[in-house]
Amino acid sequence: MYDYTDFDEAFVRGRVAQFRAQVARRLDGSLSEDEFRPFRLMNGVYLQLHAYMLRVAIPYGTLSARQMRALADIADRWDKGYGHFTTRQNIQFNWPKLGDIPDILGALADVGMHAIQTSGNTIRNVTADHFAAAAADEIEDPRPVAELIRQWSTDHPEFQFLPRKFKIAITGSPNDRAVTRAHDIGLRMVRAKGLPGDRGGL
Amino acid sequence: MAAYNLAGRRDNKYKARLKITVFEGGLEAFRDAVEAEFARTRAAFSGVDQALLAEIEAAFAPPALPLRDAGAYHAAWAADADFRAFATQNVVAHKVPGYGIVTVSLKAHGATPGDATAAQMRKLADLADAYSAGELRISHEQNVILPHVALADLPALHRALAAAGLGTANAGLISDIIACPGMDYCALATARSIPVAQELATHFKALGLEQEIGQIKIKISGCINACGHHHVGHIGILGLDRAGVENYQITLGGDATERAAIGEKTGPGFAYDEIVPAIERILRAYLALRQAPEETFIETFRRLGAAPFKAALYDEGARDAA
């Protein structure tokens, strides 16, 4: 499985520290909800009907046992003992207290996770076939390309304020389990003659 | 991305997605804008960093999956009907012989689709370590996948899942519903989604029709933002607000696969307490119309179109019968 590099780790830790200060200013009243809104939407925090909601990214829907345990610990410690898996392969916590969210983001960073670009008018979590690297009908694992797109799109300065949210999905199988035809950009691997090593093309 | 960033509308958030940009300006115009952008930036683009891509690919190297004796699997298959149901419904072929991909349903009948308790998450983590090379997946269908399970381990895995309330053998069946959080949580929602999913699941289980109906995708959204993907459900349900009252619009024939299709609206919507009987009328029509049990709902729909289903939905006689 792909583990975050030192660069990823430093970037996520920096973002947690920055958001911690923004939350502190919201809680002491120096930021209004209108002023705070763009900051929270950079970090996956929504204001829902009854509470704040934190949406955590699960890139291309792949996670380790260690990461799943961290999600369980967050649900127990800072939410109501459960989480909700979403139609973009992410998880939402529906009842966090705003003041706890920086600590939750810190706990996520401990296991190489974050909530960046799970909200706002940005390129959202790149989704992929949930049977990737296992499916019998697969041409190639689509996740390396998904990870490449994640690295390219994360904090991309040109695409932080798009007209609207933007969703990309990728599949490496002819049987499309990733709904690629109903995305802003759908990527489908196909067998292409003439590519080196008889590799699939996009 | 650059072409969309320039051309996408910023005056109306409901007209700002790429699909509207392409719809309003035409595909050709958008393609030209992408080509122009590519021509402008191409000289500076030397291709994807191959060393970086190789590094990423190495990180996704598949786990070692040694050949295992599948005797325990065959023994459980012969002896245990619950195991047979689970292995048939929730396990598909793996690219490595002797292994399977297991879908752990988060759609126990009456449960909130996609919810998992902390205890269930910990159990899934332990089972991933024991039986799936430490790896889990989340599907857009709101289930958890254990991608690399030896068939030899499947009986033990099934027992452990069942003990944790995670053994529901319904992947791909009528109770395996995608539903957005809807009015129970979401500030944008115009209607509830979760209770509709719960009632559909428990209703068809009580009727004993779940296996009989077979493979079908029902998808429910509680507003036009469509987080529940209702447009591409075989049966899509869209919850709207009509003068303060929840109203559910039905679409038929949507498809999320490589044969993608947008579902067709059937006609007037249904009140909250009418939606489950309405879906039952559609499915009783399907059972009567299919050529054989092997013909799935979407296949019957493709063969016959929406007309017979609309008749079942809105015809007064059929309504009295259901």
Side-chain angles (χ1 to χ4, degrees), chain B residues 242-258:
Chain B
R242 290 273 182 263
V245 179
E246 288 163 309
N247 187 271
Y248 293 85
Q249 196 170 73
I250 295 174
T251 51
L252 294 176
D255 190 333
T257 72
E258 64 283 355

Side-chain angles (χ1 to χ4, degrees), chain A residues 61 69 82 84-85 87 134 176, chain B residues 95 114-115 129 138 185 227 258:
Chain A
R69 280 190 198 97
Y82 68 96
H84 178 73
F85 291 102
T87 56
D176 184 2
Chain B
K95 59 171 71 175
D115 272 13
D129 272 338
I138 308 304
Y185 294 97
C227 292
E258 64 283 355

Side-chain angles (χ1 to χ4, degrees), chain A residues 9 12-13 15-20 22-23 39-40 42-45 54-57 74 78 93 96 98-116 118:
Chain A
E9 161 104 22
V12 170
R13 296 280 179 197
R15 186 60 90 75
V16 174
Q18 181 191 51
F19 190 57
R20 188 180 294 280
Q22 291 163 345
V23 167
F39 298 138
R40 65 172 169 76
M42 299 278 285
N43 292 284
V45 180
L54 175 66
R55 182 179 297 149
V56 176
I74 288 167
W78 289 295
F93 293 106
L98 181 59
D100 289 337
I101 290 178
D103 288 342
I104 299 174
L105 295 175
L108 290 169
D110 290 344
V111 293
M113 298 181 83
H114 60 77
I116 294 164
T118 61

Side-chain angles (χ1 to χ4, degrees), chain A residues 9-67:
Chain A
E9 161 104 22
F11 174 76
V12 170
R13 296 280 179 197
R15 186 60 90 75
V16 174
Q18 181 191 51
F19 190 57
R20 188 180 294 280
Q22 291 163 345
V23 167
R25 281 184 283 146
R26 173 73 190 109
L27 291 174
D28 73 16
S30 51
L31 287 177
S32 69
E33 163 55 23
D34 277 354
E35 290 166 329
F36 179 60
R37 193 168 173 272
F39 298 138
R40 65 172 169 76
L41 289 180
M42 299 278 285
N43 292 284
V45 180
Y46 288 72
L47 185 53
Q48 293 289 54
L49 282 178
H50 313 293
Y52 285 100
M53 178 269 277
L54 175 66
R55 182 179 297 149
V56 176
I58 300 175
Y60 29 87
T62 294
L63 77 171
S64 67
R66 177 166 169 260
Q67 290 172 323

Side-chain angles (χ1 to χ4, degrees), chain A:
Chain A
M1 281 187 47
Y2 182 80
D3 282 323
Y4 276 14
T5 60
D6 293 346
F7 176 88
D8 294 313
E9 161 104 22
F11 174 76
V12 170
R13 296 280 179 197
R15 186 60 90 75
V16 174
Q18 181 191 51
F19 190 57
R20 188 180 294 280
Q22 291 163 345
V23 167
R25 281 184 283 146
R26 173 73 190 109
L27 291 174
D28 73 16
S30 51
L31 287 177
S32 69
E33 163 55 23
D34 277 354
E35 290 166 329
F36 179 60
R37 193 168 173 272
F39 298 138
R40 65 172 169 76
L41 289 180
M42 299 278 285
N43 292 284
V45 180
Y46 288 72
L47 185 53
Q48 293 289 54
L49 282 178
H50 313 293
Y52 285 100
M53 178 269 277
L54 175 66
R55 182 179 297 149
V56 176
I58 300 175
Y60 29 87
T62 294
L63 77 171
S64 67
R66 177 166 169 260
Q67 290 172 323
M68 185 66 113
R69 280 190 198 97
L71 296 175
D73 291 345
I74 288 167
D76 265 345
R77 182 164 175 198
W78 289 295
D79 205 281
K80 293 189 177 183
Y82 68 96
H84 178 73
F85 291 102
T86 77
T87 56
R88 288 202 69 68
Q89 301 179 293
N90 291 325
I91 185 169
Q92 301 183 174
F93 293 106
N94 281 309
W95 308 100
K97 292 191 185 67
L98 181 59
D100 289 337
I101 290 178
D103 288 342
I104 299 174
L105 295 175
L108 290 169
D110 290 344
V111 293
M113 298 181 83
H114 60 77
I116 294 164
Q117 289 181 209
T118 61
S119 51
N121 293 333
T122 59
I123 300 172
R124 302 291 188 86
N125 183 34
V126 178
T127 51
D129 183 359
H130 42 268
F131 292 167
D137 63 349
E138 184 173 87
I139 297 168
E140 243 186 74
D141 186 349
R143 295 173 304 163
V145 173
E147 171 59 21
L148 197 66
I149 296 169
R150 185 196 71 78
Q151 294 189 12
W152 165 80
S153 64
T154 299
D155 216 31
H156 193 304
E158 191 176 342
F159 304 134
Q160 292 306 297
F161 297 96
L162 292 167
R164 196 74 183 88
K165 57 188 172 180
F166 201 91
K167 303 185 179 184
I168 301 174
I170 178 165
T171 178
S173 292
N175 296 299
D176 184 2
R177 291 172 289 265
V179 204
T180 63
R181 285 175 180 262
H183 275 74
D184 291 303
I185 293 179
L187 296 169
R188 200 161 46 86
M189 285 183 159
V190 293
R191 285 206 188 282
K193 288 220 189 317
L195 285 174
D198 194 29
R199 294 190 43 170
L202 282 170

